[in-house]
Amino acid sequence: METGGGLATAKRKMQKSRRTWLLLWCSLLLPTAFEFQLNDKFGKFQSPGFPTAYGDNIYQTWNISVPSGFVIKLYFSHFSLEPSYRCDYDHVKILLEGQQLAKLCGETSTDTEEAPGDKLFISTGENMTVIFRTDYSNEKNYTGFAAHYAAVDIDECNRAAFEEPSCDHYCHNYLGGYYCSCKLGYYLDSDHRTCRIRKA
Ligand SMILES: [Ca+2]
Ligand SMILES: [Ca+2]
C-alpha cells in the first residue's frame, strides 16, 4: 500500500512538472517574435494587417541601418493604437543603440502618454530599432501604424558652437561625408583636417 501510494504521488508530481514545462514553453512561444532588417536609404513599414485592425500578441522588430555619414529620420503617416497608461499595453518603441527614444500609443498625446502626431524622430547614429508590441486584445479594432524613414546626410560642416570644428580652414559637406581644404600657403595634414604652413 505504502509503495503504491508513493508511486501515485510520484506520477502526479511528474504530470504536474510536465504541465509546468508545457505552460512555460507556451509562454515563451507567445507572443511570436518577428524581426526585419531594413538596409535601404529609405523605406516604409507598417503594423501587420494595416490598414485593417492589428492582431493580438504581436512582437515585431524593425532594425533600420543606413550608411555611415547619414542619420535616420522617421515619421508616421498613420498612427492608431489602443491607449493605455504609460503605453503599457499596445505600443511602438523607438530605440537608439538600446536606449529608448520614445514609447508611443493612442492617437493623440496626453499627460502620461505620447502619440507621434507629426513629430520627426531622428537618430544620432546609423541605426534605429522600432518595436511594435500588442497584448491579448484589440476589441476596438485599432488600425495600427504606417511608418516612413529616410537616410539624411549629416552636415559635418555645421557643428554646434561647443563642438570642435570638423576642419581647420574650409569645410565642404557632401552626401555621406565631407572634406577639408586650406587657405593659400597652407597644406592639409594627413589627418585630413589640420592646415599647416607650407615651407618655402
Ligand atoms: Ca491591446
Ligand atoms: Ca555630409
Side-chain angles (χ1 to χ4, degrees), residues 69 153-156 173-178:
D153 174 55
I154 301 167
D155 185 353
E156 293 88 350
N173 181 52
Y174 64 86
L175 289 183
Y178 72 101

Side-chain angles (χ1 to χ4, degrees), residues 1-10:
M1 279 301 274
E2 268 301 305
T3 326
L7 250 170
T9 313

Side-chain angles (χ1 to χ4, degrees), residues 54 56 82 89-90 134-139:
Y54 57 78
D56 307 332
E82 178 191 12
Y89 298 162
D90 306 348
T134 70
D135 67 355
Y136 58 85
S137 72
N138 182 10
E139 281 168 20

Side-chain angles (χ1 to χ4, degrees), residues 11-180:
K11 230 178 182 176
R12 265 202 305 277
K13 266 188 184 166
M14 223 162 87
Q15 274 170 349
K16 199 179 167 192
S17 90
R18 262 192 205 151
R19 262 204 310 275
T20 314
W21 274 108
L22 200 68
L23 280 172
L24 191 69
W25 271 110
C26 286
S27 68
L28 281 175
L29 290 171
L30 284 171
T32 316
F34 289 101
E35 200 160 340
F36 301 96
Q37 184 67 41
L38 304 173
N39 294 323
D40 291 333
K41 278 192 181 168
F42 63 92
K44 64 173 184 175
F45 54 96
Q46 53 207 31
S47 49
F50 180 84
T52 55
Y54 57 78
D56 307 332
N57 300 307
I58 294 169
Y59 193 108
Q60 204 150 304
T61 304
W62 293 267
N63 293 312
I64 308 167
S65 289
V66 294
S68 66
F70 292 90
V71 290
I72 300 157
K73 191 176 76 180
L74 176 96
Y75 71 92
F76 296 87
S77 59
H78 178 88
F79 196 92
S80 171
L81 260 64
E82 178 191 12
S84 59
Y85 179 65
R86 290 188 174 174
C87 302
D88 279 340
Y89 298 162
D90 306 348
H91 57 251
V92 167
K93 241 186 220 177
I94 302 173
L95 305 172
L96 301 179
E97 312 295 342
Q99 297 289 312
Q100 187 174 304
L101 178 68
K103 188 178 180 184
L104 311 163
C105 70
E107 289 176 336
T108 48
S109 294
T110 66
D111 288 348
T112 44
E113 291 84 49
E114 186 185 4
D118 294 332
K119 191 171 170 180
L120 283 177
F121 298 91
I122 298 167
S123 70
T124 45
E126 299 141 30
N127 303 298
M128 183 185 268
T129 299
V130 179
I131 297 171
F132 177 46
R133 184 150 206 184
T134 70
D135 67 355
Y136 58 85
S137 72
N138 182 10
E139 281 168 20
K140 290 189 179 165
N141 291 320
Y142 289 99
T143 47
F145 68 87
H148 306 259
Y149 79 91
V152 178
D153 174 55
I154 301 167
D155 185 353
E156 293 88 350
C157 300
N158 190 11
R159 310 272 291 225
F162 60 87
E163 287 178 303
E164 201 185 344
S166 300
C167 302
D168 245 6
H169 289 177
Y170 303 121
C171 182
H172 313 274
N173 181 52
Y174 64 86
L175 289 183
Y178 72 101
Y179 70 95
C180 303

